[in-house]
Amino acid sequence: MKGQWGKLVGYFVATLIISAAGTFGLPLLGGGSWLPDLLSREGGAIDELFWGLTIISLIIFAMVAAFVIYAMVHFRAEPGDLSDGEHIHGNARLEVVWIVVPTIIVAVIAILSYIVLEDNEIGLYDKAAAKDKGAATLAVDVRGFSFGWNFRYEDLDGAKLTGEDAPDASPELVLPKGQVVRFNVLSCSGKEHLGRLEEQVRRELETEGKDNEFAEIEPGICEKEWDSTTAEDQAAAEETATKVFEARRAKADGDDLSKEQKELLESLPAYHGDQQHIDVNHAFWVPEARLKIDAIAGLRTYVQWQPTRTTRPDDNYQVVCAELCGSGHNGMRSDMCVIEQDAFDWWLGLSEEERQDATCANLRVFNCFEGTDDFDELLENVAQITKEDPEAGCREAQEALA
Ligand SMILES: [Cu+2]
């Protein structure tokens, strides 16, 4: 008996060493890590959890492999032996072990995951609970549509932060370093908008030259919410959006609709052909920040994280869609970048025209010149540098401006 355990332990240790060397060593051959760069405060704990789970998995793998190898080596049949193996059943002690041990492992994993996720969601749903532990200080409205993203910047009460002449929304995600950002995520149909415009054009064409009171079509709910500027407007639009979502879900489930729900669904703008104003679900994800959240049509979801460093020219990070959403899914990517707070404040106030050059491709090079505060001039110079050398890194840019 003693010898058996000794051999089992030997197989266990050997398998553990080989599989651990493979797991941690293979990426070194490729010159990197299994994980992308880390950009957020929240990502650190997630990575630790990931590696913790990896180690638990390696140990379980080595245990199973040890038994398999032991069985193969010591219980293999002699050549020509075609008889059945011994039938064994009813080992109470063994059954207790294989129920209790996995239960403990799963419970430990669940508790560790809960602690990490709970800590990452400080104040996300309960501002009062956040206190000084690092709740969000900036809100970004994230709208996913087929196929792209829009980002709008707000304070936590929903008031827009962009200046008078600034565009409402940005197709790229620009974030200030150090602020905890709460992302309000929604799949807000691009088709809703396109569908309305198409319908409007069609109606105008049909009645060319004649007055057509029907040519003006009400914006859809998603657009209304987007366009609302006061907190009350937004709350009202959001409330309606929630009711529409519930009514649609009830309809899809085959439940009886209330009178209010029926009226609501009938009042929605309808277009020719399919229900073009309904977009599909997407998922908002910046791999370097680790956290992701679904973007659901009609239902707002939230995620928050704090970018802890600025992005450099080599940090070509992107917002990607993590939910297979259709033919354009692979192209549903937007550039993202993190800049210093004062540069961010300046960026928010830029007019539509000025923002043309203030893209992430240039803002990343911007970050090579920390301490400069004449951002207008810097942008002009940087735009010139990247025009001549789109691949310019910090060194090239610094040399060009020296
Ligand atoms: Cu997608």
Side-chain angles (χ1 to χ4, degrees), residues 13-27 34 55 58 61-62:
V13 172
T15 317
L16 190 61
I17 290 172
I18 293 170
S19 53
T23 302
F24 298 108
L26 272 182
W34 289 115
I55 289 167
L58 280 172
F61 172 76

Side-chain angles (χ1 to χ4, degrees), residues 158-211:
K160 274 193 247 182
L161 292 177
T162 36
E164 288 254 301
D165 304 329
D168 224 16
S170 161
E172 297 186 342
L173 179 62
V174 180
L175 295 176
K177 182 182 119 185
Q179 283 211 49
V180 180
V181 187
R182 186 184 72 200
F183 299 92
N184 310 322
V185 183
L186 195 66
S187 164
C188 187
S189 188
K191 286 181 189 165
E192 177 175 59
H193 183 62
L194 287 178
R196 180 163 72 91
L197 291 183
E198 274 169 24
E199 180 75 5
Q200 207 159 327
V201 169
R202 189 191 67 79
R203 289 184 188 187
E204 275 163 5
L205 284 175
E206 268 182 12
T207 55
E208 228 168 330
K210 292 176 223 155
D211 276 350

